[in-house]
Amino acid sequence: MSKKQAILLNATKLFSQKGYKDTSMAELAKRTGSAGSTIFYHFKTKEALFLSILKNVRETIITDFNRYLKESRFENGLEMVEGAISFYLACAGRMEDQFRLLHRHYPHELAQANPLCRQHLEAIYECFIDMFAQAIGHGQKDGSIGILSARKTALIIFSMVDGLVRFNTYNLYDAGSLYDEVIESCRKMLKNS
Amino acid sequence: MSKKQAILLNATKLFSQKGYKDTSMAELAKRTGSAGSTIFYHFKTKEALFLSILKNVRETIITDFNRYLKESRFENGLEMVEGAISFYLACAGRMEDQFRLLHRHYPHELAQANPLCRQHLEAIYECFIDMFAQAIGHGQKDGSIGILSARKTALIIFSMVDGLVRFNTYNLYDAGSLYDEVIESCRKMLKNS
DNA sequence: AAATTGACTGAGCAATCAGTCAGTTTGTAG
DNA sequence: CTACAAACTGACTGATTGCTCAGTCAATTT
């Protein structure tokens, strides 16, 4: 593995586990097994390194999402929503570090000042929220889901599922043991009656 | 106002807006209009200052909660849940800084190592989650809410509502415009059918 | 062989950090 | 007034921060 890749890999872990400010470039260099200045050879500033990581996260998520879209088939829209929730939770489990990074305050604060950062964040969130909204839209066409605002309901479901992931990260509650109840709750929320 | 109170007030704002590490005691002193060492006269360390603030947050929330309990009366459990959601959102609006502080990673990370911090956090979360669980329990007794795990459903509702508050903080979506849909979703989720 | 490149390094910089300490001011009780 | 403690301050420290820079080295191009 090249030094640059090693830096990116270790920086992702450090930024997600300790936060932006608490991650020192000296420690990152030590973990990577390189000189401190090597980091600044590959990345102009600490912030540029962070943006590079965020770009990686975005690309990984979008790739994962596209693969999921191709592979999955559902009987109706309601099942599609359930599939989307499963995908989100699986995604968060598979990419624990990356999701913890997104859940930190720093990327959102940087997004206020840095358009590129905002682009990355919006692309990631839009990907997930749109996934829910599309599924709801399908469900409304095939009659498995009742009349409601697809977009707003998508935001509510996202908020719900993302909260579970946070429960996990903070060791407040095991998200897995809530899975069945979340699916059941959504079904009741959405079902055409 | 005493210097100590001024320090606490400004520190709450700074910690919530900039985060723990990004808040420098020098800047806090400047804003408070006192010498840097005055902070360390009143609070032994930066961490002790933070814990003092967290204790304040806990006490404020519990007080607010008790007042709410006394003042409010509901027809049935389902309406009680809706009232609880309103209370949570109102609370988050009234104490924006304090809620942003709770949403940061630092208190949760400190809680892993510091029992006192964990106590404060657990008291705060338990207050809200129990509020939802109790309301659900009442609803199940009076028949307005169906058969489901009160505690688990309370966690799901909390996760949902807390996510809305986060949407607001990060300027991703206006929580107010989602309010009606959230209430409607919960009603469907809980209703006895 | 000479020139050029990209990857990498060690030494060191100015700035900032939380925290200390000796000493001064302030309030209050006798 | 004196006495005394609590409140407060400015000057300071050692450690750490992100970042710079001159220069080394191996591989590639001319």
Side-chain angles (χ1 to χ4, degrees):
Chain A
M1 196 197 319
S2 74
K3 279 265 158 81
K4 190 175 177 179
Q5 278 179 308
I7 290 170
L8 279 168
L9 203 80
N10 283 287
T12 307
K13 276 189 192 167
L14 282 174
F15 278 140
S16 84
Q17 283 163 13
K18 314 183 79 179
Y20 181 79
K21 194 79 178 198
D22 264 317
T23 296
S24 92
M25 305 315 266
E27 195 195 343
L28 172 58
K30 205 172 154 192
R31 285 211 193 185
T32 313
S34 64
S37 46
T38 305
I39 297 169
F40 294 99
Y41 169 72
H42 290 291
F43 307 95
K44 213 178 155 196
T45 61
K46 189 183 182 182
E47 190 179 301
L49 168 61
F50 184 85
L51 281 173
S52 202
I53 288 171
L54 197 61
K55 192 184 158 214
N56 276 355
V57 172
R58 172 184 176 173
E59 285 164 357
T60 310
I61 286 179
I62 302 293
T63 305
D64 257 44
F65 177 67
N66 286 330
R67 190 182 322 125
Y68 161 77
L69 273 191
K70 276 187 189 169
E71 286 176 2
S72 60
R73 287 289 173 274
F74 298 103
E75 287 282 315
N76 56 42
L78 187 57
E79 278 185 24
M80 205 168 160
V81 174
E82 293 176 24
I85 293 173
S86 291
F87 169 71
Y88 189 82
L89 291 175
C91 218
R94 209 181 317 121
M95 308 193 282
E96 215 183 327
D97 281 337
Q98 282 89 336
F99 269 68
R100 188 167 355 191
L101 200 77
L102 293 174
H103 282 163
R104 288 203 167 263
H105 275 225
Y106 183 74
H108 296 91
E109 274 152 18
L110 185 60
Q112 309 277 51
N114 186 315
L116 186 59
C117 180
R118 176 153 46 216
Q119 262 181 40
H120 291 322
L121 275 188
E122 275 180 8
I124 293 167
Y125 280 104
E126 205 47 42
C127 165
F128 288 125
I129 289 170
D130 207 52
M131 169 176 73
F132 290 124
Q134 296 263 348
I136 293 171
H138 274 94
Q140 289 177 319
K141 274 184 193 159
D142 65 37
S144 59
I145 293 178
I147 301 159
L148 33 76
S149 160
R151 171 98 186 152
K152 287 187 178 180
T153 313
L155 282 161
I156 291 172
I157 292 178
F158 175 79
S159 172
M160 203 164 96
V161 181
D162 200 51
L164 290 208
V165 178
R166 269 182 229 268
F167 277 153
N168 252 6
T169 343
Y170 292 151
N171 287 319
L172 291 174
Y173 208 84
D174 178 32
S177 75
L178 281 176
Y179 178 75
D180 290 341
E181 274 80 5
V182 168
I183 294 289
E184 186 56 29
S185 297
C186 281
R187 215 176 280 157
K188 286 183 192 161
M189 246 173 77
L190 300 168
K191 214 167 45 182
N192 207 343
S193 50
Chain B
M1 195 196 321
S2 75
K3 280 263 158 81
K4 191 175 177 179
Q5 279 179 309
I7 290 170
L8 280 168
L9 202 79
N10 284 288
T12 308
K13 276 188 192 167
L14 282 174
F15 279 141
S16 83
Q17 282 163 13
K18 313 183 77 178
Y20 181 79
K21 194 79 179 201
D22 265 318
T23 296
S24 92
M25 304 315 266
E27 194 195 343
L28 172 58
K30 206 172 154 192
R31 287 211 192 185
T32 312
S34 63
S37 45
T38 306
I39 297 169
F40 293 100
Y41 169 72
H42 289 291
F43 307 95
K44 213 179 155 194
T45 60
K46 188 182 183 181
E47 190 179 301
L49 168 60
F50 184 85
L51 281 174
S52 201
I53 288 171
L54 197 61
K55 191 184 159 214
N56 276 356
V57 172
R58 172 185 176 173
E59 285 163 359
T60 310
I61 286 179
I62 302 292
T63 306
D64 258 45
F65 177 68
N66 286 330
R67 191 183 322 125
Y68 161 78
L69 274 191
K70 275 186 188 168
E71 287 176 1
S72 60
R73 287 289 173 272
F74 298 102
E75 287 282 315
N76 56 40
L78 188 58
E79 276 185 26
M80 204 168 161
V81 174
E82 294 176 22
I85 292 174
S86 290
F87 169 70
Y88 189 83
L89 291 176
C91 218
R94 209 182 317 121
M95 307 193 282
E96 216 183 326
D97 281 338
Q98 282 89 335
F99 269 68
R100 189 168 354 194
L101 200 77
L102 292 174
H103 281 163
R104 289 205 166 262
H105 276 226
Y106 183 74
H108 295 91
E109 274 152 17
L110 185 60
Q112 309 277 52
N114 187 314
L116 186 59
C117 179
R118 176 154 46 217
Q119 262 180 42
H120 291 323
L121 276 189
E122 275 179 9
I124 293 167
Y125 280 104
E126 205 47 43
C127 164
F128 288 125
I129 289 170
D130 207 52
M131 169 178 72
F132 290 123
Q134 297 262 348
I136 293 172
H138 274 95
Q140 289 176 321
K141 274 184 192 158
D142 65 38
S144 59
I145 293 178
I147 301 158
L148 33 78
S149 161
R151 172 98 185 150
K152 286 186 179 181
T153 312
L155 282 161
I156 290 172
I157 292 178
F158 174 80
S159 172
M160 204 164 95
V161 182
D162 200 51
L164 291 208
V165 178
R166 280 198 159 85
F167 278 153
N168 252 6
T169 345
Y170 292 151
N171 287 319
L172 292 173
Y173 209 83
D174 178 33
S177 73
L178 282 175
Y179 178 76
D180 290 341
E181 274 81 5
V182 168
I183 295 288
E184 186 56 29
S185 297
C186 280
R187 215 176 280 157
K188 286 183 193 162
M189 246 173 75
L190 300 167
K191 213 167 49 183
N192 207 344
S193 50

